[in-house]
Amino acid sequence: MIVLVHGAWHDASCWSAVESELAARGQPSLAVDLPAQDPDLGAADYADAVISALGPEPTGPLVLVGHSLGGLTVPVVAQRLGPERVRALVLVGALVPRPGLSYVDQLRADPSMMAPGFGAGQQRHEDGTTSWPRDVALTDLYRGVADEVSAAQVERAVSAMRRQGWKIGREPTPLTAWPAVRTVSVICSHDQVVSPDWSRRTARDIGAEVVDLPGGHFPILTRPAELADILVRAGSTATT
């Protein structure tokens, strides 16, 4: 089973193209909807949501996939479930938690983790959540994506976005050590959200295998077939 965990401001529907490609390959998958709009919930709660979605019955070896902010959740799930249930972690243009630190701590220590200028156009709300005005999302969060797919596809993706709570960014991660499972880092060469250079350095630090993809931050939309192939290979016993 390949378990798909979305990033900030999105929901499970953002994985629909990848799910279709996995189904065409005979590969079962589950896209999980995180309770991301709740400003009082953090990584442990997100991990609860993933584990609850899996249900009580064993589902065979799991490949846990985190896109973008989802990278702060999937290793916590792997830590909870253990290598007996988790075959691999796949990080797709993802943030990577460091034990003892929050995302904010990491960003303050190394601002290069995010692409230059990213995030300035977010709208902040009184409850601590943020969202993106449509026009700003197109030119910032999704900048360059319309060069890879149709403008209509980008419009549909942006229209499905929602608010994001940020306890997950402020709290120290509940991760105590990197899980002892195979880890694959998918690095998007023209990522304009999470810095590809930072992702490469971090992959070395956690011992991840690196897979390079051309294009920007959203291969879940722009390269679903290529990404599906990577995910299937990550769950195999051979190296990627």
Side-chain angles (χ1 to χ4, degrees), residues 51-77:
I51 293 168
S52 176
L54 290 170
E57 297 299 322
T59 55
L62 301 174
V63 177
L64 301 176
V65 185
H67 174 245
S68 198
L69 190 70
L72 300 186
T73 296
V74 289
V76 178
V77 177

Side-chain angles (χ1 to χ4, degrees), residues 62-64 78 83 86-91 178-185 206-209 211 230-240:
L62 301 174
V63 177
L64 301 176
V86 178
R87 175 168 287 173
L89 285 170
V90 182
L91 307 170
W178 195 259
V181 299
R182 180 184 189 183
T183 302
V184 177
S185 181
I206 62 175
E209 304 163 33
V211 177
I230 292 167
L231 302 184
V232 171
R233 290 199 299 269
S236 73
T237 56
T239 58
T240 302

Side-chain angles (χ1 to χ4, degrees), residues 4-83:
L4 306 166
V5 178
H6 62 80
W9 307 289
H10 289 76
D11 61 23
S13 68
C14 70
W15 290 104
S16 60
V18 176
E19 288 185 286
S20 295
E21 293 290 346
L22 289 171
R25 291 157 176 74
Q27 176 63 57
S29 65
L30 173 67
V32 179
D33 206 8
L34 299 179
Q37 291 173 289
D38 190 327
D40 297 321
L41 301 184
D45 304 292
Y46 291 12
D48 287 343
V50 175
I51 293 168
S52 176
L54 290 170
E57 297 299 322
T59 55
L62 301 174
V63 177
L64 301 176
V65 185
H67 174 245
S68 198
L69 190 70
L72 300 186
T73 296
V74 289
V76 178
V77 177
Q79 176 176 264
R80 298 250 302 263
L81 295 180

Side-chain angles (χ1 to χ4, degrees), residues 76-106:
V76 178
V77 177
Q79 176 176 264
R80 298 250 302 263
L81 295 180
E84 299 80 13
R85 292 193 65 187
V86 178
R87 175 168 287 173
L89 285 170
V90 182
L91 307 170
V92 183
L95 301 178
V96 178
R98 296 295 180 106
L101 299 176
S102 69
Y103 161 69
V104 172
D105 294 331
Q106 290 181 262

